[in-house]
Structure formats: structure tokens, C-alpha cells
């Protein structure tokens, strides 16, 4: 991923600070839902370039070209156009450099993909099934912005549940069920998103089912797919964490973290 500086020039003296931040925050939200920027807390600060005054942002983008207009969905473009009408122009952005502390973005269209996240990840929830690198949502979903937003909302909910169960405190059991059981609301939501994305892209899309607990290592190794109840154990784990894969049900899972 890449660290990027963005400059908005102010063209109207009537534009208030409150109005400017509202307009910019709307663009930030739409960029995030489209997968063009990563993260939820984006600072806005006063900035100046040559003789122009305005506002600056520093964001993380999946790719160097993530903010090019060609990747804008209709909601992003509407937010940018509305800002321009009100005296705030997206003037330019500059690549500061690659963020070595972040995931490497997938650079190709994979033969299969996985819906996977965790509370410590800050990247797209869609991953390549070939190298497990995150896939920017704007690539497959630019023309279906409501679906892209739904993926981000699912990711936020999954990460919230993951953090609760990892902290082993309030709502641990409820949160764990949401991310590890096929009868939970969170599973049904994410699984439906996978089916919709696969129909749209014609790329097999798998759902990652979290697994912890279990009686023994032997019992875990013999665990069957929770949907079709058939054998799904892989001879060798994928990416060091995925020990189970059902091509029929489009599910992947790990050997219980207890073992």
C-alpha cells in the first residue's frame, strides 16, 4: 500500500471551515466505501501549495493509482462534484512512498478469491486465492457501489466481533458465534455477499469461517464441512492458516487455533 498526500484548494471565500470539513469528509467516506483509501480516521489539516490555500489529507491507498478518476464510482464522483460546486476543488495528490508496514496489494485478477478479515488487518476484506494478497474493492465493484459499501460494513462488524472474542471479556461468546457459526447473522450476510460477488465477477468466491475450540486435534482433523457435511481437509494448508476448503460450498477454514 502507499502513503498519499491530497490537496484541496479553496476557491470560495464564503466557504466556512465547518462546510469544508463536511464536504471533505463526504469524499473520504465514499473513497473508503469504494476501497480507494484504507482506514477510518483521516486527519484534515490546513495546507498551502504555492499561492493556493486549502486543506490537506494524508491517506493510505491500496495502489499508487487508486485515486485516479477512472476508479471513482458514481458516489465518489458526486461527492467530488458537490465539493467543487461549493468552492472546494480536489487539486492534486502526491505519492509519498510505499508503506512497508502494510499488506502488499494483489496486482492481478485471481482465479479464485476469499472473503477474509481480522481485527488487526487494515486492508480490503477480499483476498486473492492464489497469494492471499488483498484485492482493492474498486476493481470488481466500481460499478456496484452499494455492494462495495456492504462489504466494508460486513468487515467492520466482523472485526468488532473478532476483537471482542480475542479480548475474552464482554460479549465474548456472542461475538465468537457470529464469526464461527454458519447459522449466525454475520455468516449469512457475508456468505450472501460472496454469492453475489461470484455471480457478478464469475470468479469463485470463498467465505472464511473462523474456528477455535474443539475437543482434540484428532477430532479437528476429521471435521467435516458444516454445510454439506463432506470431507474438506486439505493435504497441505494454504498460506499457513487455511486447513479446510470446500469447493462445493465455497468455504475455507482453519484448524482450531487451540491446536
Amino acid at each position: 500500500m502507499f502513503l498519499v498526500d491530497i490537496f484541496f484548494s479553496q476557491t470560495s471565500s464564503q466557504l466556512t471551515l465547518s462546510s469544508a470539513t463536511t464536504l471533505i469528509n463526504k469524499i473520504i467516506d465514499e473513497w473508503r466505501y469504494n476501497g480507494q483509501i484504507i482506514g477510518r480516521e483521516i486527519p484534515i489539516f490546513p495546507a498551502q501549495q504555492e499561492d493556493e490555500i486549502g486543506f490537506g489529507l494524508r491517506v493510505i491507498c491500496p495502489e499508487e493509482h487508486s485515486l485516479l478518476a477512472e476508479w471513482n464510482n458514481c458516489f465518489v464522483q458526486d461527492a467530488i462534484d458537490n465539493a467543487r460546486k461549493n468552492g472546494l476543488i480536489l487539486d492534486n495528490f502526491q505519492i509519498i512512498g510505499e508503506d512497508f508496514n502494510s499488506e502488499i496489494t494483489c496486482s492481478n485478477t485471481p482465479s479464485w478469491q476469499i472473503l477474509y478479515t481480522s481485527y488487526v488487518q487494515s486492508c480490503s476484506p477480499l483476498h486473492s486465492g492464489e497469494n492471499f494478497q488483498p484485492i482493492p474493492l474498486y476493481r470488481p465493484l466500481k460499478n456496484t457501489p452499494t455492494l462495495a459499501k456492504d462489504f466494508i460494513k460486513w468487515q467492520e462488524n466482523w472485526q468488532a466481533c473478532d476483537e471482542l472474542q480475542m479480548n475474552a471479556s464482554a460479549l465474548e461468546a456472542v461475538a465468537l458465534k457470529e464469526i464461527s457459526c454458519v447459522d449466525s447473522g454475520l455468516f449469512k450476510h457475508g456468505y450472501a455477499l460472496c454469492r453475489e460477488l461470484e455471480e457478478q465477477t464469475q470468479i469463485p468466491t470463498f467465505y472464511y469461517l473462523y474456528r477455535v475450540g474443539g475437543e482434540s486435534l484428532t477430532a479437528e482433523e476429521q471435521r467435516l464441512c458444516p454445510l454439506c457435511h463432506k470431507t474438506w481437509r486439505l493435504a497441505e494448508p494454504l498460506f499457513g492458516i487455511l486447513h479446510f476448503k470446500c469447493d462445493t460450498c465455497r468455504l475455507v477454514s482453519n484448524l482450531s487455533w487451540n491446536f
Side-chain angles (χ1 to χ4, degrees), residues 147-181:
L147 184 57
K149 182 176 181 177
D150 213 4
F151 270 93
I152 295 296
K153 290 300 182 183
W154 171 88
Q155 181 182 35
E156 291 173 351
N157 290 333
W158 206 102
Q159 290 179 334
C161 288
D162 190 26
E163 186 166 11
L164 283 171
Q165 68 91 20
M166 287 296 291
N167 287 339
S169 56
L171 302 177
E172 177 190 1
V174 176
L176 180 58
K177 178 181 178 181
E178 285 296 315
I179 63 177
S180 64
C181 295

Side-chain angles (χ1 to χ4, degrees), residues 41-240:
E41 296 184 10
I42 310 297
I44 302 173
F45 49 87
Q48 183 171 346
Q49 286 190 1
E50 297 179 350
D51 295 330
E52 293 185 296
I53 61 170
F55 301 88
L57 306 177
R58 179 163 288 188
V59 301
I60 296 291
C61 293
E63 301 173 288
E64 291 178 280
H65 54 70
S66 297
L67 295 180
L68 292 179
E70 65 185 88
W71 295 117
N72 292 348
N73 64 26
C74 58
F75 293 157
V76 170
Q77 197 57 53
D78 286 347
I80 292 173
D81 291 344
N82 185 53
R84 181 185 295 109
K85 292 176 184 176
N86 286 278
L88 198 62
I89 296 177
L90 175 55
D91 193 284
N92 63 76
F93 65 88
Q94 297 181 349
I95 308 299
I96 302 303
E98 187 172 1
D99 177 12
F100 298 129
N101 203 31
S102 65
E103 303 284 344
I104 298 174
T105 299
C106 182
S107 60
N108 65 302
T109 301
S111 57
W112 66 290
Q113 53 200 7
I114 307 165
L115 183 60
Y116 171 94
T117 193
S118 76
Y119 85 96
V120 296
Q121 272 200 331
S122 296
C123 62
S124 168
L126 188 63
H127 293 253
S128 167
E130 297 171 355
N131 54 27
F132 211 50
Q133 292 173 344
I135 303 167
L137 289 179
Y138 52 77
R139 283 205 213 143
L141 296 174
K142 171 190 167 183
N143 295 324
T144 49
T146 55
L147 184 57
K149 182 176 181 177
D150 213 4
F151 270 93
I152 295 296
K153 290 300 182 183
W154 171 88
Q155 181 182 35
E156 291 173 351
N157 290 333
W158 206 102
Q159 290 179 334
C161 288
D162 190 26
E163 186 166 11
L164 283 171
Q165 68 91 20
M166 287 296 291
N167 287 339
S169 56
L171 302 177
E172 177 190 1
V174 176
L176 180 58
K177 178 181 178 181
E178 285 296 315
I179 63 177
S180 64
C181 295
V182 295
D183 60 350
S184 72
L186 192 57
F187 171 84
K188 293 174 182 177
H189 181 201
Y191 196 69
L193 290 176
C194 289
R195 303 286 63 76
E196 191 170 353
L197 181 59
E198 178 168 335
E199 182 178 355
Q200 180 173 308
T201 62
Q202 297 301 299
I203 299 174
T205 305
F206 287 67
Y207 184 95
Y208 166 68
L209 189 66
Y210 181 88
R211 176 67 175 176
V212 71
E215 299 177 359
S216 66
L217 176 58
T218 300
E220 276 299 299
E221 292 174 335
Q222 298 173 353
R223 186 160 58 96
L224 302 178
C225 171
L227 292 181
C228 67
H229 307 292
K230 295 181 180 179
T231 301
W232 64 330
R233 177 73 191 274
L234 294 168
E236 296 291 336
L238 293 171
F239 320 117

Side-chain angles (χ1 to χ4, degrees), residues 8 17 20-22 24-25 28 42-46 55-58:
F8 288 87
L17 175 59
T21 54
T22 297
I24 294 173
N25 278 324
I28 289 172
I42 310 297
I44 302 173
F45 49 87
F55 301 88
L57 306 177
R58 179 163 288 188

